[in-house]
Structure formats: structure tokens, C-alpha cells
Amino acid sequence: MKKINIALIGAGGMANSVHYPSLSAFEDVNLVGLCDVVESKLHATAERFEIEQRFTDYQKMLEKTSPDAVYILMPPQHLFPLVIHSLSQQHHVFIEKPPGVTLHQTREMALAAEKHGCKTMVGFNRRFIPLMQKVKAIVEEKGPIIQCMSTFHKNTPGALYYDGIIDVLTCDAIHAVDALRWLGGGEVKAVASDINRFYSERENSFNAIVKFTSGASGYLCTNWAVGGRIHTFEMHARGISAYINPDAGGCATLYTNGGTTEITPAEAAGSDAAHKAYGFYGESRHFVDCIQQDRRPLTCFADAIKTMELVGAIYRNRIDVD
Ligand SMILES: NC(=O)c1ccc[n+]([C@@H]2O[C@H](COP(=O)([O-])OP(=O)(O)OC[C@H]3O[C@@H](n4cnc5c(N)ncnc54)[C@H](O)[C@@H]3O)[C@@H](O)[C@H]2O)c1
């Protein structure tokens, strides 16, 4: 088995909590270097994951370690130049969501990946949650999904992402948008939306009905001014309905003529470790497998363009403009 050499940029929250624990468990991955501009974080993270080569300049790290791939894990406003440079040096690239601050950035990153023959992936982890994958497979055994729903609720009405550099929908509710696209078959035919501000100067509720080219109807229901974090999904096909809450403590309930079945996130993942049950381990495994097998990752930059386009269509197609 070929070993994939991966260099890491960013020693922050997501890196330490989910991505490096996943990568460091893979037998076919070498972590060849770590870079962060904050030395205390750099050394603490490098110690934890036993990474010898440490850098505060990512370009030097890439030159010195010549990795196959690079993980670039930092707030979206810092991402673009690092991604473009890494691709220009022909390194495969993994980033977190959102895939840049604007659709323009996503498109430029996808063009650069195409030009330099690199594999890319955006961490839209909801698609890799074992419970979501298992339930989707069971539902699709009955036929294509004909109706789907993606909800995301929080209780932070005035939430400001990175001092306001990026909006709620593009930065965070995009998880619900991307998951809906996945459930509806990926290709959007038409969109109508209702966007609101509740108890805030900023828009914080994004609702849409999405017609997919598959024929499926998709519903997006997000609101940052309600009870708390609730992030659920529905998948419906001929003779089967599934209601899924993949968060810790949640479960999926499937209804058919034959009765009701319940599956928990830990049962589907074979583990109750959060990074496994919530799809982070699976998304990194998929990225590394795609490099090993010369396949295109499911959530590559070219695919992320479609999710960013759907975000744009939700803003453009309001049924009621103030
Ligand atoms: N998938 C999810 O569910 C999920 C959840 C939370 C956050 N995220 C996303 O993860 C990404 C990272 O978020 P985070 O909270 O881990 O960030 P963070 O701020 O905790 O960490 C970022 C790190 O990058 C370092 N850094 C910044 N610029 C650098 C540079 N030029 N060179 C080297 N190091 C640099 C910082 O010092 C910091 O240590 C964001 O895009 C966020 O939207 C995703």
C-alpha cells in the first residue's frame, strides 16, 4: 500500500478536534509537516500528533516536505492564496467549508485544480455521516428520493461570522444547503426562497423550495433565532420515509408498510467517537482513498461550485423582497 504524505496548515479547533485525529489513525498516511503562525499552537498540536517537522511559513513547509496533499484548515477569509499556491505546486488540497468567501473564489480554486491536475475536497461532512449514508442507501433501495428536507436551527440571532466578512448562509447554513443538494440528486432546476431577519439587523433565516432535475422536491428550513442547535433531515422515496437527527443523542426513524425501524448514529458508525459518528473520519478516508485510487472526490471544488451556486440562487429567487 502506497503511503500518502500529507502536510497540514492550521493547528486550530477543527484541526485538533476532528481532522488530525482522523488522519493520524490512517495506516496509509504520513503526517510530514505542520504549519501554524502561532508557535504555541504549532508545538502543542505537533506534540499531540507526533509531527516532527514544524513551520510558521507554509510555503517553506511545502518546499521542504513535498507532500502529496495538504490540509488547509483556517477561517475562509485567509484560505484563497494558500489554496491557489498549493495547487500551483501540484499538491492535492483538502479544505473545510465554506469553499472560499465568494462563488468567484470557489470557481478560481476549481479552475486551478483542473489546470494543475489536483484532487480537491471540501469538508461537507454531513454527506459522510455514516447514519446519513446508511439511511440514504436503505431509502434508495425502494426507488429514487422524491422529497427531501434539510433543517438547521440555532439560537444565536445576531451571529456574526469572522467580524461580518461572510454571511450566515454562505458560512454555516451552507451545510444544510449542500446536504439538500446531495439528497435531491445534485442538479438544481429551479428555486424559490423566503429570507428573513428575526431579532437581528442581519438576515438569519433562509427557507427555500428547490426543484431538482431528478424530479425531487427539496425543502430548506434554517433559522438562527429559535430554540437551539437542531440539525435534521428527511428522505422520502416510494413507500418509505426517514426522519434523521444525526447529532449525538439523535437517531433515524424509518417508516415503511412493514413498520418502524430506528438506527442511532453510533450504531451506523460502529463508534460513538464524535469525529467518526459525525462524518469527519469518513470524509478524510474518502479523500485519501480518492488519491490512492485516482478518483474524483465527491465534494471536490467543481462540485462545491454547485452548492455555492445554489446559495446564490436562494438569495436571488425570493418570493417577497422588502
Ligand atoms: N465542518 C464543520 O462542521 C465545521 C465546524 C466548525 C468550523 N468549520 C470550519 O473550519 C474552518 C477552520 O475553523 P477553526 O475553528 O478550526 O479555525 P481556528 O481559528 O481555530 O484555526 C485556524 C488556525 O489557522 C492558523 N492560521 C491562520 N492563518 C495561517 C497561515 N497563513 N499560516 C498558517 N497558519 C495559519 C491560526 O493561527 C489558527 O491556529 C473554518 O472554515 C470553519 O468554517 C467547520
Side-chain angles (χ1 to χ4, degrees), residues 4-271:
I4 304 296
N5 291 327
I6 299 185
L8 310 167
I9 310 175
M14 292 301 286
N16 272 282
S17 60
V18 298
H19 293 303
Y20 303 165
S22 299
L23 287 172
S24 61
F26 297 160
E27 285 184 1
D28 58 342
V29 164
N30 287 326
L31 300 181
V32 294
L34 174 67
C35 171
D36 200 292
V37 287
V38 178
E39 293 212 25
S40 56
K41 291 169 114 181
L42 170 65
H43 292 299
T45 304
E47 291 296 321
R48 181 173 166 208
F49 296 100
E50 298 175 358
I51 303 165
E52 248 171 63
Q53 302 211 64
R54 302 164 191 192
F55 303 83
T56 51
D57 177 332
Y58 78 94
Q59 296 197 7
K60 280 198 185 129
M61 176 176 74
L62 297 181
E63 269 168 38
K64 185 118 192 271
T65 61
S66 302
D68 298 302
V70 53
Y71 271 56
I72 308 177
L73 302 172
M74 64 190 53
Q77 69 272 24
H78 301 311
L79 209 53
F80 186 76
L82 284 74
V83 171
I84 295 294
H85 177 79
S86 301
L87 293 171
S88 76
Q89 301 305 300
Q90 294 177 317
H91 306 299
H92 305 304
V93 169
F94 180 103
I95 61 171
E96 258 295 345
K97 63 79 207 167
V101 177
T102 60
L103 172 59
H104 169 76
Q105 289 192 350
T106 317
R107 285 187 175 140
E108 285 297 323
M109 295 191 303
L111 282 173
E114 182 73 30
K115 179 174 169 191
H116 297 290
C118 297
K119 300 198 190 307
T120 56
M121 183 150 170
V122 180
F124 283 127
N125 60 300
R126 277 50 167 181
R127 297 199 209 182
F128 296 90
I129 293 173
L131 183 65
M132 294 282 282
Q133 294 183 325
K134 186 178 178 97
V135 171
K136 186 166 182 281
I138 294 171
V139 168
E140 288 179 336
E141 271 173 26
K142 302 277 187 185
I145 289 175
I146 53 176
Q147 198 173 36
C148 49
M149 175 119 176
S150 190
T151 79
F152 203 174
H153 293 113
K154 291 194 177 181
N155 187 356
T156 51
L160 198 56
Y161 287 81
Y162 305 112
D163 299 324
I165 285 169
I166 187 165
D167 55 291
V168 172
L169 180 62
T170 311
C171 193
D172 200 0
I174 194 168
H175 273 306
V177 175
D178 182 74
L180 189 69
R181 250 198 73 224
W182 177 55
L183 297 178
E187 305 297 330
V188 172
K189 193 170 179 190
V191 179
S193 68
D194 183 36
I195 300 178
N196 280 304
R197 281 183 280 126
F198 292 109
Y199 312 109
S200 170
E201 297 165 301
R202 302 183 183 90
E203 287 170 340
N204 58 11
S205 176
F206 304 87
N207 308 280
I209 177 163
V210 181
K211 174 96 182 165
F212 290 96
T213 59
S214 65
S217 306
Y219 301 88
L220 178 76
C221 175
T222 73
N223 195 319
W224 260 225
V226 291
R229 187 200 148 95
I230 305 146
H231 192 17
T232 61
F233 306 88
E234 292 180 22
M235 309 176 194
H236 305 273
R238 186 172 185 172
I240 187 163
S241 289
Y243 297 80
I244 305 131
N245 175 2
D247 279 6
C251 83
T253 309
L254 289 87
Y255 298 89
T256 61
N257 283 342
T260 307
T261 311
E262 289 202 343
I263 312 170
T264 66
E267 280 165 358
S271 164

